[in-house]
Amino acid sequence: MNTSKTPISRDLPPEPTLRRLPWYLAYVGLLRQHGVEYVSSTAIAKEINVDASQIAKDLSVLGIKGKTRIGYEVAALESALRSFLGFSCSHRAVLIGVGSLGSALISDTGLDRFGLNIVCGFDVNPEIVGTSIKNVPIYHIDEFRRCTAELGAEIAILAVPVDVAQQMADMAVASGIRALWNFTPFRIRTAPGTVIQNTSIYAHLAVMYNRLNIQAETRQ
Amino acid sequence: MNTSKTPISRDLPPEPTLRRLPWYLAYVGLLRQHGVEYVSSTAIAKEINVDASQIAKDLSVLGIKGKTRIGYEVAALESALRSFLGFSCSHRAVLIGVGSLGSALISDTGLDRFGLNIVCGFDVNPEIVGTSIKNVPIYHIDEFRRCTAELGAEIAILAVPVDVAQQMADMAVASGIRALWNFTPFRIRTAPGTVIQNTSIYAHLAVMYNRLNIQAETRQ
């Protein structure tokens, strides 16, 4: 492994690279479970359906290099990927909007394995405020600033109705939140300096339905 | 509105367009709730942070045109978007893997509002098989082919561990499933003709963590 202290983490890796790295992680994790010790970018390429040269380029952002004719050491690659992707640290997050999707996110223990620790949720519904889901307490949104500061959270997950999405984003940023994970289909605007990640799972449904319809028409 | 019967739905709208349309839908839905009757692409552009010309181009796939100086009729645009995106029909889906993420997906009633009807789940865990979540029954995976055929499902949601993702995808396609919504970080391969939509929410976390770290370093 190249362990020189060149400031690789200061370069902004392109988002497509960052989105492909978890695919490689999933695959090398599987290889490790099966006792495989080395893997080449060509072998990964075959399995993942991405060009071998693209894979080598993507992995170079980790500062890790494969050995000629042997490839990458599987355990080292897995660990470097997990660490580079931030999955081996714990990031404190709060959830805004504990409706159907919000409750589902709190219940998904998978997020924890990927470094996301939801420390509390916020809502306005009196039937939810004061309760807890899987030991995660739900507070009234009025307590947002105090709770977030006390708990040291820097990420807010937005799972609110569209009509309050922008307002809640503004409130969160004003309270010191530095990153918003937006699950609403609304396009949040913030001042530069706030990280926004949009995960509109419903938009993916639209792509799937459309492709299905076109297939059905082509078959006729 | 342009209602000519040109075969617009047979053209394959580009995926980026399909992913932007739900943003417009979210916004015009909000406008309708607020009693707004007409909206221009310039006004949408300002709110959504997408070029007005891009918006007009995107909306042209619906076969709907804005009127000069007035813009789009909000109610008609909302309805055309919902229908084009497939959110106003009900699509039958089955869930493979009723773990933490799978249970969360069944519990999310939002999917229903976006046209996805999860009719049953499948797992191998004897503690889960035979139970139900929000009235959605969970069957043993061995009953997949029979149940899917009986229930007329054409979409399978994959929320299984990485090491069985490919095998479950192959089994689903062999049983007549036509679209796979893949929530695992594994890159599923299928024969051409099967629709695959990858929604790796954990990959989005990686992008967010990375951007947060770089910000923190820049501040120092």
Side-chain angles (χ1 to χ4, degrees), chain B residues 202-220:
Chain B
Y202 308 129
H204 293 198
L205 277 176
V207 178
M208 193 165 61
Y209 296 156
N210 184 273
R211 300 299 184 244
L212 262 174
N213 279 342
I214 284 165
Q215 266 201 3
E217 284 176 17
T218 315
R219 282 181 186 189
Q220 280 163 10

Side-chain angles (χ1 to χ4, degrees), chain A residues 90-95 117-122 135-140 143-156 175-177:
Chain A
S90 177
H91 303 79
R92 291 181 164 221
V94 295
L95 172 75
N117 177 14
I118 303 182
V119 290
C120 69
F122 296 95
N135 292 322
V136 176
I138 315 300
Y139 302 121
H140 193 278
E143 302 191 65
F144 188 87
R145 182 188 283 267
R146 191 181 56 77
C147 292
T148 337
E150 273 176 23
L151 297 165
E154 55 180 11
I155 298 171
S175 305
I177 287 295

Side-chain angles (χ1 to χ4, degrees), chain A residues 212-220, chain B residues 7 9-10 154 178:
Chain A
L212 263 174
N213 280 341
I214 284 165
Q215 265 201 3
E217 284 177 16
T218 316
R219 283 180 187 191
Q220 280 163 8
Chain B
S9 60
R10 276 169 206 278
E154 53 180 12
R178 292 178 48 225

Side-chain angles (χ1 to χ4, degrees), chain A residues 9-10 13 19 23 30 47 85 100 108-109 114-115 163 187 189 193 199 202 204 207 209 211 215 217, chain B residues 10 13 19 23 30 47 85 100 108-109 114-115 163 187 189 193 197 199 202 204 209 211 215 217:
Chain A
S9 60
R10 277 169 206 278
R19 294 200 183 218
W23 306 347
L30 207 55
E47 201 64 31
L85 291 170
S100 144
D108 177 15
T109 51
F114 287 87
D163 56 343
R187 303 305 286 173
R189 284 160 303 153
T199 301
Y202 308 129
H204 293 199
V207 178
Y209 297 156
R211 299 301 185 242
Q215 265 201 3
E217 284 177 16
Chain B
R10 276 169 206 278
R19 294 199 183 218
W23 305 348
L30 207 55
E47 201 63 31
L85 291 170
S100 144
D108 177 16
T109 50
F114 287 88
D163 56 343
R187 302 307 285 174
R189 285 159 302 153
Q197 187 64 34
T199 300
Y202 308 129
H204 293 198
Y209 296 156
R211 300 299 184 244
Q215 266 201 3
E217 284 176 17

